[in-house]
Amino acid sequence: QVQLVESGGGLVQPGGSLRLSCVASTSINYFTYLGWYRQPPGKERELVAAITRSGITHYADAVKGRFAISRDNAKNTMYLQMSSLEPEDTAVYFCNELRRVNSNYEPIGSWGQGTQVTVSS
């Protein structure tokens, strides 16, 4: 079974940056679509960013211009570079394999433990 493991979260001040990593147990080229989700306290999980095998990216409006998703095939790793962080970005962040359904993305893998990101002064 393919596994994805998230890491890189932590406590950061508003305006700061963090880079999250998602390491795959197999070649990352296995995945046509990959994405980052987040679940803020007391709220539902939401898609933050997605990336295709060819490197095409998509972002939620709330993070456009601040977050950047990328994948390193040699390291079997996907990243989420987060900048200009805001308290509203506080959440547990998860990575998952996606599928495209019409113009939307849906998660199709099992969820890992995620990595906690807390933005606070």
Side-chain angles (χ1 to χ4, degrees), residues 11-14 87 118-121:
L11 173 63
V12 62
Q13 292 186 343
T118 303
V119 184
S120 175
S121 55

Side-chain angles (χ1 to χ4, degrees), residues 106-117:
E106 294 180 351
I108 57 176
S110 57
W111 295 105
Q113 292 187 332
T115 185
Q116 174 72 47
V117 172

